Amino acid sequence: MVTAVFDRARRVPGSRERAGDLLFRLTISGVAGIILLAAGALAWQLARESASTWKSFGLAFLWTSTWDPVSDVFGVLPFLYGTAVSSLLALLIAVPLGVGAAIFLTELAPKRLADILMFAIELLAAVPSVILGLMGIFILVPGMRALGAPYGVGMLTAGLILAFMVLPYITTITREVLLTVPRPLKEAMYALGGTRWEVVRGVSLPYARSGIVGAVFLSLGRALGETMAVTMVIGNTPKISASLLAPGYSMAAVIANELAEAASDAHLSALVAIGLTLMVVTIVVNGAARLMLYRLGSRK
Amino acid sequence: MAATEIDMRPMSLPAESSATPKAMPIAMSVRDLRASYGAASVLKDVNLEVRERTVTAIIGPSGCGKSTLIRCLNRMHEAIPGATCDGDILLGDRNALALDPVLLRREVGMVFQRPNPFPTMTIAQNVAAGLVLNGVCDHAVLAETVEKSLRRAALWDEVKDKLDAPGVGLSGGQQQRLCIARALAVEPRVLLLDEPCSALDPIATGRIEELLLQIKDQLTVVIVTHNMQQAARVSEYTVFMLMGEMVEYGLTRQMFTKPTDKRTEDYITGRFG
Ligand SMILES: Nc1ncnc2c1ncn2[C@@H]1O[C@H](COP(=O)(O)OP(=O)(O)OP(=O)(O)O)[C@@H](O)[C@H]1O
Ligand SMILES: [Mg+2]
């Protein structure tokens, strides 16, 4: 038996293996190629469908804030603003909470409690976004109103829902990377007279930082593209307001709301142009995340 | 060569060597120390006195509790979930088990078996890490201490031009001296080393032994080692442990020439372990 294993290990790859290898490589390259092709075709299709918008407004479409389907004047800025601000608000709320929760779960909580909490958090990640939207409408909106927000719906409400939505990602990923911090490193800091908090700050967080940055960008990607929950609570008003309590609109929300009943070809084209903008924004964010992770990784 | 100098060391002690180290006051003492991991009892009534500005070696076969013993001395033992210890440990005349472990560890430093510099820090930051914990942020003070500690750890000449390079870029032996410098930077009274040379080649080991002989003028050193020659070369006192018990404790010279316990003799002459 042992010799059989050795024989197999030592066997020179014959022509049969090489053929299998080739087939495998072709299949894999084919699948990868199809994915790329599909993405390329999608972008091309979006560009083609929105060509008339780009023709009539040019790049000014990106920084005009009129959205008037009746007189066919379109600009994406209020939606771009709404998407960016609600997503950034979400991160502003979710990152400290999520990282804090992960630190608590790895460093402080007894194992049993940590396991139970982790289970609950993972469950939260599985809640469909329309349910979160309902929760927003029934709990968050009246709550905001009770706290003095004029409408209840608005940018901050959308940010809160999004924060709720990405919190599980940030917590789970951060906890996972915190668990990989080698024990000897933590012991080194303890042995120097570090407190628990100093060990977290001086050893664990720096060691885990590329993972945390990854989690943040993953969350940002999710928040930028989230449609349903945001549509339900953002207020759906294409206006840029200084107040975070005022209603706004997001790119994904306007497409979902208006695509089915687009008044004209120009309107339809403008909605597709928003779709293309959103796609570019998401790709840029993801690219930036990759680049940052790569930089952090090579520095370590 | 350097190695010969080190070999000479125990013999170069005065003939009345028993008198010289005995004169030293006691830095740490351990009384009836028991330690366990959960239900598994690992140390049984260990008694020990570590004298100031001497090197005490702890020897014994693998698994006999050497690491556990020195990890009790700076209370790293209790950082392991389920691990407990009781008995008395005195640092000078203070009860170490009643002190805040964080403060105790600033006085009782530790160097581990595998070099463990902080991977996200430069060489200088690694050495300064303990000072920064203590709230020192004056750059001049930090720079001065970094240089002094690296010199004491016999590493300065090799790294003085690349203090801002990552600590993990050094060789294993250099990393271990970096860890020693890091431990020395906070001016501990006692330095514990757990098999600090087991991952190093003989030349790197020689360097570390040399530096131990230099720093013991200023502080107390406790070193766990598997290497009998190393114990003989660097230590004044030796503790021999077997299965969680302290079998024999005395002057190194005596223990290596005429041990009182049969088991010590067997271990030293290589008959087991
Ligand atoms: N974290 C732990 N959990 C449970 N048991 C442990 C743990 N660490 C050590 N032990 C047990 O305690 C005993 C003493 O271990 P210790 O590490 O102190 O031995 P040692 O003398 O340092 O050995 P070595 O020379 O191999 O380093 C061993 O039987 C070991 O199995
Ligand atoms: Mg050990």
Side-chain angles (χ1 to χ4, degrees):
Chain A
M1 261 198 41
V2 174
T3 36
V5 171
F6 277 113
D7 278 351
R8 183 130 49 103
R10 220 180 289 143
R11 203 163 63 187
V12 184
S15 58
R16 234 169 48 115
E17 271 102 326
R18 257 185 263 147
D21 199 35
L22 192 67
L23 188 69
F24 175 73
R25 228 181 314 152
L26 281 180
T27 320
I28 292 295
S29 323
V31 171
I34 288 173
I35 294 173
L36 269 180
L37 213 68
L42 178 63
W44 192 72
Q45 189 66 16
L46 287 178
R48 222 176 53 146
E49 296 283 332
S50 61
S52 71
T53 303
W54 299 114
K55 223 171 276 159
S56 35
F57 303 105
L59 281 182
F61 178 73
L62 295 177
W63 54 81
T64 346
S65 52
T66 323
W67 184 260
D68 187 355
V70 180
S71 44
D72 279 346
V73 182
F74 301 106
V76 77
L77 196 60
F79 310 102
L80 203 57
Y81 174 81
T83 298
V85 171
S86 59
S87 302
L88 291 180
L89 271 179
L91 290 186
L92 222 57
I93 300 163
V95 171
L97 274 182
V99 172
I103 292 172
F104 171 75
L105 287 169
T106 35
E107 303 288 334
L108 299 173
K111 194 175 173 323
R112 287 274 300 282
L113 180 66
D115 286 346
I116 296 171
L117 287 177
M118 266 333 279
F119 181 72
I121 289 170
E122 272 157 25
L123 219 58
L124 185 62
V127 175
S129 60
V130 65
I131 305 292
L132 282 181
L134 280 181
M135 195 192 80
I137 286 178
F138 289 131
I139 301 172
L140 217 47
V141 171
M144 294 291 290
R145 224 177 275 149
L147 288 177
Y151 308 97
V153 294
M155 209 65 101
L156 184 58
T157 318
L160 282 170
I161 283 285
L162 285 174
F164 209 69
M165 193 175 260
V166 298
L167 195 58
Y169 292 97
I170 296 181
T171 311
T172 340
I173 298 176
T174 304
R175 177 174 134 95
E176 223 107 277
V177 284
L178 283 180
L179 285 176
T180 64
V181 179
R183 208 182 148 70
L185 288 184
K186 296 207 265 181
E187 290 204 328
M189 192 58 102
Y190 278 119
L192 282 177
T195 60
R196 220 186 276 221
W197 163 239
E198 285 162 341
V199 172
V200 167
R201 210 189 50 178
V203 177
S204 302
L205 286 181
Y207 189 89
R209 93 195 139 183
S210 57
I212 297 175
V213 170
V216 168
F217 276 99
L218 182 73
S219 305
L220 183 56
R222 270 234 57 188
L224 289 173
E226 173 52 33
T227 312
M228 188 43 88
V230 172
T231 311
M232 290 164 86
V233 298
I234 200 169
N236 299 336
T237 310
K239 234 171 56 185
I240 297 177
S241 320
S243 165
L244 293 180
L245 301 177
Y249 221 152
S250 81
M251 294 196 273
V254 73
I255 297 173
N257 280 337
E258 298 187 2
L259 195 67
E261 50 218 40
S264 62
D265 283 350
H267 188 188
L268 189 66
S269 163
L271 288 173
V272 178
I274 293 183
L276 184 63
T277 314
L278 181 55
M279 186 170 160
V280 171
V281 168
T282 347
I283 289 175
V284 167
V285 166
N286 270 304
R290 284 289 141 77
L291 200 70
M292 203 143 161
L293 285 181
Y294 176 75
R295 286 257 182 81
L296 283 176
S298 62
R299 188 135 43 94
K300 203 181 273 175
Chain B
M1 275 204 28
T4 1
E5 266 173 45
I6 297 162
D7 280 337
M8 295 299 294
R9 181 70 201 191
M11 276 167 264
S12 67
L13 285 171
E16 260 64 61
S17 70
S18 48
T20 328
K22 271 244 171 68
M24 292 297 182
I26 292 166
M28 287 193 92
S29 59
V30 172
R31 284 186 213 132
D32 300 327
L33 183 73
R34 287 177 298 275
S36 56
Y37 296 96
S41 163
V42 171
L43 292 182
K44 296 161 203 138
D45 296 319
V46 172
N47 287 282
L48 182 66
E49 274 160 3
V50 178
R51 291 186 181 270
E52 249 172 47
R53 275 170 280 156
T54 61
V55 178
T56 303
I58 303 180
I59 60 171
S62 188
C64 68
K66 305 180 294 293
S67 299
T68 309
L69 173 58
I70 70 163
R71 288 170 62 91
C72 284
L73 295 182
N74 69 343
R75 296 181 61 186
M76 289 295 288
H77 178 67
E78 53 198 82
I80 296 169
T84 55
C85 73
D86 69 310
D88 289 310
I89 299 176
L90 300 182
L91 175 65
D93 50 8
R94 288 170 298 162
N95 179 357
L97 295 180
L99 288 174
D100 179 353
V102 168
L103 298 179
L104 174 71
R105 289 176 197 141
R106 292 182 186 184
E107 292 184 53
V108 184
M110 184 164 216
V111 173
F112 297 81
Q113 183 167 359
R114 303 221 146 256
N116 53 0
F118 300 122
T120 51
M121 295 187 193
T122 65
I123 292 172
Q125 286 169 339
N126 260 287
V127 179
L131 290 174
V132 174
L133 288 183
N134 281 319
V136 180
C137 46
D138 183 332
H139 282 283
V141 175
L142 287 176
E144 190 186 317
T145 319
V146 165
E147 173 169 352
K148 194 173 120 208
S149 311
L150 284 170
R151 280 189 193 282
R152 285 173 84 189
L155 187 59
W156 175 253
D157 291 330
E158 288 155 70
V159 302
K160 62 174 182 245
D161 300 322
K162 49 174 180 180
L163 291 175
D164 292 328
V168 283
L170 298 173
S171 75
Q174 290 173 326
Q175 284 187 23
Q176 194 60 302
R177 276 176 287 151
L178 178 62
C179 294
I180 294 176
R182 181 175 68 186
L184 290 176
V186 290
E187 300 280 345
R189 295 153 54 102
V190 180
L191 184 64
L192 310 171
L193 303 108
D194 191 351
E195 299 183 39
C197 303
S198 65
L200 305 182
D201 67 59
I203 293 175
T205 302
R207 290 246 171 77
I208 289 186
E209 290 178 2
E210 228 170 325
L211 95 86
L212 288 182
L213 292 174
Q214 276 162 21
I215 59 174
K216 74 160 186 189
D217 289 345
Q218 296 135 48
L219 67 150
T220 309
V221 175
V222 180
I223 177 171
V224 170
T225 176
H226 269 293
N227 180 334
M228 229 73 69
Q229 282 83 40
Q230 182 169 66
R233 282 194 296 261
V234 301
S235 73
E236 277 95 348
Y237 292 94
T238 297
V239 178
F240 173 59
M241 298 195 45
L242 194 60
M243 288 162 62
E245 270 178 81
M246 200 201 74
V247 172
E248 190 167 346
Y249 166 49
L251 286 169
T252 302
R253 243 167 44 106
Q254 232 159 44
M255 194 174 304
F256 279 83
T257 48
K258 35 183 192 310
T260 52
D261 197 293
K262 178 78 171 59
R263 292 169 292 176
T264 316
E265 191 183 337
D266 286 349
Y267 183 71
I268 287 170
T269 53
R271 242 164 280 171
F272 73 86

